Amino acid sequence: MSLTPADLRAAALRTLAPAPDVQAALNRLGFVQADPIRAPARAQDLTLMARVQDYRAGDLERLYPTLDVEEDIIPNYGFVTRDVQRLLHPREVPPTRVEREHPGLITDVRAVLHERGEVHPRDVIAALGARRASNYWGGNSQATTRALDALHYRGEARIVRRDGGVRVYGLAPHLDALRADPHPTPDRLREAVLLLARLYGPLPEASLRYLTSLSGYGFPHLRPDLRGALRAALKGDLEGARVDGVPYVWAPGGHPGDAPAPRGVRIVNPFDPLVWDRRRFEHLHGWAYRFEAYTPAPKRTMGYYALPLLHAGRAVGWANLSVGGGTVTAGIGLRPGVRRTGTFTAALDRELERHRVFLAATQVAVSFDQT
């Protein structure tokens, strides 16, 4: 059966299937990308809100200590279930920049962590003193905090909770056990590739190659093996077809042509699996969505944190949401030719009501900018 872009749009919408609770959503996704920007909420909260009824901004941080979830990286930094984290460790990491700039600091920070069992970065600064280290963004940050991050990346520490958004570190005995008895490397890498295909698929083969490359940060010592696992998956595990001449792939378990026709309006964040792949977005929706938070304000065409807006599965515009004084202010931008029908308006109102509840606001104010 030949596939059309409409089939792929409908199949992609499966990622928004409702989950009964936060843990169920995490189990199904496997990975939720994190981002610190709040406009109107963090990306991880927006991703879960799109799938969990009655989810509130901040629920993930509040529930984190009770959930089967860890902070880790595949293909970007975010939240993974422990089953997924078991694919990522043991992780062999070369000496980091902070180790080169401050020899012996990792050993000292490790000793503080093992002595106390759980530390806030300020506790380590108090114990070892403040010192600066260069970071990967060209600035400087606390060297002891960089050392804690290095221990976390290596699997010697875990994030036990957040304190006002700041990571609190603890010991990670479950990862110690993996170092002693790791899963076979080929199995780990195969499952990682299948996770990416399930989470972001159906997607262009080129996009899966890019996601796999990004996931090298999760497998720094296994990058060549990870590329080999992708080649093997493309030849065996994954299914695929050409749509408009573009080779698409997806994980087994559901043909894209079987997805029901999507209905309603959905607003999602820029890092949601539904819209993360800009290559797929442009092919399936016919226009280029841009994340403009780091674009100078005079050059923005959509807004600081424009959220893609979909109607009946097709991206028809974007929403800029902010909350203040108990009001969610929604600035809606629509693509040329998109009509504000009664059906569309009613569905948009329902979606904005969901965001009002999510943001604990009392009312919604809407304005339109037809481009």
Side-chain angles (χ1 to χ4, degrees):
M1 178 176 64
S2 61
L3 294 173
T4 67
D7 293 325
L8 296 179
R9 288 195 296 268
L13 261 291
R14 287 170 170 164
T15 187
L16 295 182
D21 53 44
V22 174
Q23 187 65 65
L26 291 168
N27 291 345
R28 192 177 71 224
L29 294 168
F31 166 75
V32 173
Q33 185 167 337
D35 189 81
I37 296 175
R38 300 193 201 196
R42 293 189 178 103
Q44 54 267 36
D45 283 322
L46 288 162
T47 296
L48 291 169
M49 172 266 185
R51 293 159 175 84
V52 180
Q53 186 175 3
D54 298 327
Y55 185 91
R56 302 293 189 273
D59 275 356
L60 178 59
E61 184 173 315
R62 179 178 61 83
L63 296 172
Y64 180 88
T66 70
L67 296 169
D68 173 14
V69 68
E70 299 286 340
E71 295 193 29
D72 216 311
I73 180 168
I74 178 179
N76 297 289
Y77 191 85
F79 299 85
V80 299
T81 60
R82 283 198 173 183
D83 277 346
V84 171
Q85 193 181 41
R86 290 185 185 98
L87 307 178
L88 301 169
H89 295 271
R91 180 183 285 152
E92 297 176 18
V93 183
T96 61
R97 184 177 299 181
V98 70
E99 291 175 87
R100 295 192 297 270
E101 293 181 357
H102 298 278
L105 180 61
I106 287 279
T107 300
D108 294 340
V109 172
R110 183 187 293 115
V112 173
L113 178 62
H114 279 265
E115 175 188 349
R116 304 192 183 189
E118 183 179 299
V119 293
H120 189 287
R122 64 169 173 260
D123 300 330
V124 185
I125 295 171
L128 300 177
R131 61 193 91 176
R132 308 300 290 179
S134 56
N135 58 39
Y136 295 100
W137 301 275
N140 289 286
S141 54
Q142 286 291 344
T144 50
T145 302
R146 298 288 295 166
L148 282 170
D149 289 340
L151 291 174
H152 177 223
Y153 183 49
R154 288 176 173 178
E156 295 187 55
R158 64 180 292 263
I159 307 304
V160 295
R161 67 177 187 280
R162 296 255 178 167
D163 182 359
V166 177
R167 288 178 285 196
V168 178
Y169 300 78
L171 300 176
H174 68 294
L175 296 180
D176 292 338
L178 279 179
R179 275 188 288 275
D181 185 22
H183 294 318
T185 296
D187 294 347
R188 292 166 56 192
L189 300 181
R190 174 180 176 272
E191 288 300 321
V193 172
L194 290 176
L195 167 68
L196 298 174
R198 283 194 302 269
L199 182 59
Y200 295 98
L203 76 170
E205 182 180 314
S207 298
L208 182 58
R209 292 184 184 278
Y210 177 55
L211 281 162
T212 304
S213 176
L214 285 179
S215 297
Y217 293 107
F219 301 94
H221 63 300
L222 296 173
R223 290 176 189 266
D225 305 85
L226 185 59
R227 291 192 292 270
L230 172 62
R231 289 193 296 270
L234 290 171
K235 292 179 181 178
D237 292 306
L238 301 178
E239 300 175 12
R242 284 186 175 269
V243 180
D244 291 344
V246 179
Y248 271 77
V249 294
W250 58 87
H255 192 275
D258 298 334
R263 302 173 63 184
V265 166
R266 301 304 301 265
I267 297 171
V268 296
N269 79 85
F271 304 103
D272 193 286
L274 181 61
V275 296
W276 184 93
D277 180 13
R278 307 297 193 254
R279 181 186 286 104
R280 182 179 78 172
F281 187 101
E282 189 164 354
H283 175 225
L284 297 186
H285 301 288
W287 57 281
Y289 165 77
R290 294 183 177 86
F291 179 60
E292 298 179 324
Y294 303 109
T295 300
K299 295 184 178 180
R300 291 177 190 148
T301 59
M302 300 178 195
Y304 171 73
Y305 200 81
L307 307 170
L309 185 155
L310 296 93
H311 180 220
R314 183 184 285 275
V316 297
W318 55 90
N320 285 283
L321 304 183
S322 62
V323 61
T327 298
V328 175
T329 301
I332 307 298
L334 296 178
R335 294 286 299 165
V338 175
R339 296 175 56 241
R340 289 160 54 186
T341 65
T343 299
F344 169 77
T345 301
L348 176 63
D349 288 345
R350 288 192 293 271
E351 181 69 353
L352 291 174
E353 173 63 14
R354 291 179 62 248
H355 282 77
R356 181 195 67 76
V357 174
F358 163 69
L359 295 166
T362 57
Q363 61 184 346
V364 178
V366 185
S367 62
F368 286 87
D369 177 22
Q370 186 89 29
T371 59

